[in-house]
Amino acid sequence: MNTDIKHYPRSGAIASEKAASSSGLEQLVCAVRASGALLLLCGVAYTGSVTLLGQALFPHQATGSLIEHNGKMVGANWVAQEFVSPGYFHSRPSAVSHDPTSTGGSNLAPSNPELVERVRQDSLKIQSDYGVAASEIPVDMLSASGSGIDPHISPQAAVFQAERIAENRRIPLEVVMSLISFNTEAPQWGVFGQERVNVLRLNLALDQLESK
């Protein structure tokens, strides 16, 4: 019985294995080099240049739009604070207690019993404090923002609180109304959003008024 068995040189197989190994090593080196280059380009050069450009063109915004008052840092233009004193304008309700490190809403549906009860309790308190009907309460005094740190209220909400401010600070109501009007911001570029009032800046204007 004849069998034909072909024998291949062992040296050829070894050479083939070395070539494959060398090719794989070259590909690995190329991948590492490309990753390093992209890391430096996108993670260092691009972000660094954009950060420096932003600080050069918009220094106030690039550092967090921080607000100083009498030489002290009192907050940021885009972060709400909770004011509870009757002599200050109050911000919108917040699902995160106005904590900028834990932004977000309650994620509760309008039909959720917990949300309904929270709004009902807030509405009853406002009705009692202001002597008004529920239909007279501006909606943003009952509804929380999606971020929980919305620094603005509507001009209607500011006007709604004006009489309380005037009584507690013992200043004419007309003065409070003029401050609200002066601090009312127009829609962005006159198109986007609605008129709004920054609560922190309005309260600082109140303090500055009394210091004169």
Side-chain angles (χ1 to χ4, degrees):
M1 182 175 180
N2 296 326
T3 57
D4 296 328
I5 300 176
K6 295 182 179 180
H7 298 277
Y8 295 94
R10 178 62 179 167
S11 58
I14 294 176
S16 177
E17 291 176 359
K18 288 183 177 181
S21 176
S22 176
S23 176
L25 182 60
E26 290 177 357
Q27 292 178 1
L28 178 61
V29 171
C30 288
V32 171
R33 287 177 177 175
S35 298
L38 289 173
L39 177 63
L40 291 175
L41 179 63
C42 300
V44 178
Y46 172 75
T47 54
S49 59
V50 169
T51 300
L52 292 175
L53 184 63
Q55 290 178 341
L57 297 177
F58 311 102
H60 179 63
Q61 293 87 340
T63 54
S65 300
L66 301 177
I67 299 177
E68 289 188 6
H69 183 65
N70 294 331
K72 295 181 180 180
M73 201 70 65
V74 295
N77 191 68
W78 300 107
V79 179
Q81 295 185 31
E82 184 177 13
F83 293 93
V84 296
S85 170
Y88 285 105
F89 288 92
H90 296 170
S91 302
R92 297 179 63 177
S94 172
V96 295
S97 301
H98 303 94
D99 183 1
T101 65
S102 180
T103 60
S106 65
N107 293 326
L108 300 177
S111 59
N112 187 283
E114 181 181 341
L115 178 61
V116 172
E117 180 62 18
R118 196 274 297 167
V119 173
R120 189 182 76 85
Q121 292 295 334
D122 286 354
S123 177
L124 290 174
K125 185 178 186 306
I126 292 175
Q127 291 177 59
S128 175
D129 291 344
Y130 291 84
V132 298
S135 59
E136 299 178 75
I137 303 174
V139 66
D140 52 325
M141 292 194 68
L142 297 173
S143 60
S145 66
S147 67
I149 56 171
D150 184 357
H152 299 99
I153 56 175
S154 65
Q156 293 77 16
V159 170
F160 184 82
Q161 302 178 65
E163 188 173 344
R164 168 175 57 81
I165 302 296
E167 290 179 356
N168 281 274
R169 289 187 177 252
R170 298 182 179 180
I171 56 178
L173 179 59
E174 294 76 13
V175 174
V176 179
M177 296 294 289
S178 66
L179 283 179
I180 294 174
S181 178
F182 182 79
N183 285 276
T184 297
E185 303 172 19
Q188 188 72 29
W189 301 316
V191 178
F192 301 107
Q194 301 174 335
E195 288 188 335
R196 58 201 182 276
V197 182
N198 188 290
V199 177
L200 174 58
R201 289 193 177 278
L202 184 56
N203 285 332
L204 289 175
L206 282 171
D207 287 345
Q208 189 172 6
L209 183 67
E210 290 194 346
S211 65
K212 290 182 180 180

